[in-house]
Amino acid sequence: MRIDIITIFPEYFSPLELSLIGKARASGLLDIRLHDLRSWTHDRHNTVDDTPYGGGPGMVMKPEPWGEALDAVTGGGEEGATPRLIVPAPSGLPFTQQRADRLAAEPWLVFACGRYEGIDSRVAEDAAGRMPVEHLSIGDYVLAGGESATLVMVETVSRLLPGVLGNAESAVQDSFATGAMAHLLEGPVYTKPPVWRDREVPPVLLSGNHGAVDRWRRDQALRATARNRPELLDRFTDDDLDRRDQEV
Ligand SMILES: Nc1ccccc1-c1cnco1
């Protein structure tokens, strides 16, 4: 997969040089390219924003640099390929694991990181004439710009690509995506020592009884989900829950 990121803060993405994603880039599994939007400005101050038409607070990102940047970045696709343009925005569709699964099947993604009050809306309209465009939100909170949202989305999508995760990590990923624990929150986890500050690990986890351990973990996951995300339980019919209980 090729991923292009257009931003005024390329250094924001140095974490993508680390760990599994860094290794995937080094091995050629992932081709992540960073582009500084200011490279497509032509004034002395490298201006990328201006006041909003209609008044109001803040600044809006100017269309000209974005238009030139997107032309330059998306024009060079192999055999005239076109990418899917992702615009992180608080007004966007929710970015979910399901949407990440779909994006992971794409050969080429371009992320447009807007700052300030957003990017002049004509930029996405113009791009939509040449490629699919999606505005996506990672949650209902205000960020300073699209960079952190893009980091979240790139990490989530990259982990789904074949070969990026090691066997151990992909087994963990699968366990949360399918099976009896799918769509449930993770319950408590423990490791050595068996007693720490007079706090014992739940004895069932030391019992060696795998069936009892699985049942205990599922019960804890249902409790955690009921406590923090009860709406996720709405997905399951009673039959589903009964069937899953048989699986554990
Ligand atoms: N708040 C923001 C400001 C600028 C660009 C994206 C966002 C965003 C994305 N998902 C939630 O918020």
Side-chain angles (χ1 to χ4, degrees):
M1 177 186 277
R2 175 179 168 179
I3 296 177
D4 288 89
I5 301 172
I6 305 171
T7 171
I8 59 172
F9 293 125
E11 63 277 14
Y12 203 99
F13 295 95
S14 49
L16 296 179
E17 294 161 15
L18 306 174
S19 186
L20 288 172
I21 292 180
K23 291 189 177 73
R25 293 176 76 180
S27 72
L29 266 175
L30 255 181
D31 173 10
I32 298 180
R33 307 179 193 188
L34 299 176
H35 310 276
D36 186 340
L37 177 69
R38 295 191 196 276
S39 306
W40 288 279
T41 60
H42 309 291
D43 62 303
R44 190 151 52 97
H45 299 294
N46 301 115
T47 307
V48 293
D49 64 332
D50 203 335
T51 53
Y53 274 125
M59 302 288 273
V60 173
M61 297 193 95
K62 295 169 58 62
E64 301 95 326
W66 277 107
E68 289 185 35
L70 287 169
D71 289 351
V73 169
T74 66
E78 290 166 22
E79 296 93 41
T82 54
R84 179 171 288 268
L85 178 61
I86 309 296
V87 184
S91 57
L93 292 167
F95 177 71
T96 61
Q97 191 64 45
Q98 191 177 14
R99 196 172 295 277
D101 288 329
R102 281 205 287 270
L103 292 179
E106 294 286 335
W108 184 13
L109 300 176
V110 174
F111 288 85
C113 300
R115 308 289 300 183
Y116 315 113
E117 303 317 305
I119 303 171
D120 185 299
S121 296
R122 291 169 290 183
V123 172
E125 289 167 18
D126 175 65
R130 297 187 298 281
M131 68 198 85
V133 179
E134 284 183 49
H135 289 76
L136 297 181
S137 167
I138 62 166
D140 295 333
Y141 30 75
V142 180
L143 304 169
E147 282 77 8
S148 42
T150 296
L151 265 181
V152 165
M153 291 191 267
V154 168
E155 175 170 334
T156 307
V157 170
S158 298
R159 290 173 56 84
L160 298 171
L161 300 178
V164 172
L165 295 183
N167 293 337
E169 294 95 340
S170 59
V172 172
Q173 178 92 13
D174 290 349
S175 74
F176 284 102
T178 61
M181 305 289 269
H183 306 300
L184 293 179
L185 302 185
E186 186 179 358
V189 291
Y190 304 87
T191 187
K192 302 179 189 63
V195 182
W196 176 71
R197 293 187 181 180
D198 295 333
R199 296 176 188 276
E200 292 184 8
V201 170
V204 66
L205 299 180
L206 309 177
S207 68
N209 180 336
H210 299 302
V213 170
D214 288 347
R215 284 189 295 277
W216 181 87
R217 282 177 170 161
R218 178 164 165 67
D219 180 59
Q220 293 297 316
L222 284 166
R223 289 170 186 271
T225 308
R227 182 173 58 246
N228 294 344
R229 295 290 301 279
E231 77 280 6
L232 293 181
L233 291 177
D234 296 346
R235 296 178 177 206
F236 303 121
T237 64
D238 290 343
D239 289 347
D240 281 337
L241 290 171
D242 290 345
R243 191 184 72 253
R244 286 166 176 238
D245 281 342
Q246 305 314 316
E247 287 173 14
V248 172

